[in-house]
Amino acid sequence: ICAGRNSHIREVVVIDSDDTSFGKNTLNKLKAFGLMPHCQKIKDNGHSQTYFFIEPYQISAGTFTDNTYCETDFFENHNVWKRLTKMMNVLYAGDVCYTGFHCQNPLYDRANVVSYKNISQLYTVEQLYNHCIQYFEDPLNLDYYFSYLRKQALLTKGNKTKVENAQ
């Protein structure tokens, strides 16, 4: 599923953990930093996705003008949401290569999901962003830092072709 009702609005920030801790590494780090997720979906192989539901956050818009569809990217909002997804994954044992747009459905009937926070108590992007940004030494160069981490992670996985394409 997508991280929002359409490609223009985001409604969840996800930490995608590919370790085999069954979500425990992520939960321990969140607890140490004083942050509570809404829920966590745990897969049989120990991987997990941890969900923070947010107030709808618009990153772009689509309109029709004279029978022509036009999209407007809200560049700053879009970058804030992407940066937030990266910060959450770096801080809380997630995958630095995770883009955040596609996620697993935590509401699937047979999914192994543990709930922690009432889903009606939404976070805002600003709350989560302000919480995370304080833990980074050089906030002005975060995008470069995340790009570097992504390239290193891909090298570690042995995907030199993907690294070259990511540059």
Side-chain angles (χ1 to χ4, degrees):
I1 63 172
C2 298
R5 68 185 82 168
N6 57 45
S7 62
H8 303 296
I9 297 173
R10 299 292 182 266
E11 296 176 285
V12 66
V13 178
V14 177
I15 301 168
D16 181 59
S17 299
D18 292 334
D19 63 23
T20 56
S21 74
F22 295 89
K24 291 178 184 165
N25 287 341
T26 296
L27 288 178
N28 288 339
K29 287 185 177 201
L30 287 168
K31 185 176 181 180
F33 282 79
L35 199 55
M36 181 179 294
H38 285 93
C39 63
Q40 187 175 61
K41 181 176 185 227
I42 304 162
K43 295 174 69 176
D44 293 339
N45 63 1
H47 295 196
S48 64
Q49 285 197 331
T50 306
Y51 302 82
F52 292 81
F53 292 98
I54 58 174
E55 291 180 8
Y57 188 74
Q58 191 155 5
I59 62 166
S60 61
T63 57
F64 280 96
T65 304
D66 297 326
N67 295 323
T68 302
Y69 182 72
C70 299
E71 283 194 9
T72 303
D73 188 2
F74 301 157
F75 186 74
E76 187 55 36
N77 282 9
H78 200 166
N79 280 338
V80 164
W81 184 81
K82 289 188 290 187
R83 201 173 299 122
L84 173 59
T85 297
K86 294 293 183 199
M87 286 192 293
M88 296 284 285
N89 277 273
V90 167
L91 289 171
Y92 304 116
D95 179 1
V96 71
C97 296
Y98 179 64
T99 63
F101 179 62
H102 291 106
C103 60
Q104 297 168 16
N105 185 351
L107 305 178
Y108 175 65
D109 286 341
R110 289 180 251 161
N112 181 11
V113 175
V114 179
S115 294
Y116 298 99
K117 182 178 172 100
N118 188 319
I119 200 165
S120 67
Q121 298 171 343
L122 302 176
Y123 287 101
T124 66
V125 164
E126 292 77 17
Q127 280 176 308
L128 294 175
Y129 192 94
N130 290 337
H131 174 84
C132 292
I133 196 78
Q134 66 183 320
Y135 298 108
F136 288 92
E137 198 172 295
D138 187 7
L140 295 177
N141 290 308
L142 273 181
D143 296 332
Y144 296 111
Y145 176 62
F146 293 144
S147 176
Y148 169 79
L149 290 178
R150 181 177 189 278
K151 289 173 188 171
Q152 293 304 307
L154 291 173
L155 279 173
T156 302
K157 293 178 183 180
N159 286 323
K160 291 183 181 182
T161 305
K162 284 188 177 180
V163 171
E164 292 165 2
N165 291 338
Q167 295 178 352

